[in-house]
Amino acid sequence: MNGTLVVLTGLLVAVGVFLVLQRELTRIVLGIGMLGHAAVLALLVAGGRRGEPPFAGEADRVADPLPQAFALTAIVITFAFLVLLLALAARSHDLTGVDEVEDDPEDARMAEVARAGLETESDREQADLRSELKRR
């Protein structure tokens, strides 16, 4: 049973990462949800085999409540993060009318600079400061 859960966790992580790398906001939100479910499954698998209830069993077979507490915490954090992402996605859709993440113009400019091998002015200033500090 643990092997099946480990494979399922890996599958959820793979699908979640694939969805997060897409350009549509709804797919990104679904991917974050999948990653949250994978984290909960990983925590439950890490908890080991099921034990006896803490009040009715022997002392050596009592279930460890810590992984269950971590799983509950992960569920709450994932839910809060998903609500925030859904609110941002709804606001972005209201403003732009599309569900796609746009390219950042500054990022595109920096990519062109890197491809051309040119230095920016701030890079030259930092190099001048470093050489001046080395002289001292």
Side-chain angles (χ1 to χ4, degrees), residues 3-71:
T4 306
L5 290 178
V6 169
V7 170
L8 184 61
T9 302
L11 183 67
L12 281 174
V13 168
V15 170
V17 168
F18 175 76
L19 288 174
V20 166
L21 294 176
Q22 301 297 312
R23 296 184 64 89
E24 290 85 18
L25 290 172
T26 52
R27 290 186 181 195
I28 293 171
V29 171
L30 287 173
I32 295 293
M34 294 271 189
L35 288 173
H37 288 305
V40 171
L41 266 181
L43 287 168
L44 291 178
V45 168
R49 292 190 176 266
R50 187 175 70 175
E52 298 295 325
F55 298 116
E58 300 172 10
D60 60 340
R61 294 254 351 211
V62 176
D64 186 15
L66 193 59
Q68 296 170 8
F70 283 154

Side-chain angles (χ1 to χ4, degrees), residues 102-136:
E102 297 177 3
D103 288 333
D104 184 24
E106 181 67 18
D107 188 35
R109 188 184 70 77
M110 292 303 292
E112 287 176 18
V113 167
R115 267 188 245 116
L118 303 174
E119 292 182 342
T120 61
E121 186 174 329
S122 63
D123 290 338
R124 282 189 230 116
E125 290 174 0
Q126 288 178 0
D128 291 342
L129 286 174
R130 284 189 203 121
S131 63
E132 185 179 326
L133 287 175
K134 286 182 182 178
R135 282 187 235 145
R136 290 182 185 179

Side-chain angles (χ1 to χ4, degrees), residues 57-102:
E58 300 172 10
D60 60 340
R61 294 254 351 211
V62 176
D64 186 15
L66 193 59
Q68 296 170 8
F70 283 154
L72 263 163
T73 304
I75 289 169
V76 170
I77 291 171
T78 302
F79 179 72
F81 191 56
L82 283 176
V83 168
L84 174 69
L85 282 178
L86 283 172
L88 290 174
R91 180 69 177 155
S92 173
H93 185 270
D94 288 344
L95 290 176
T96 63
V98 293
D99 186 31
E100 193 170 305
V101 178
E102 297 177 3

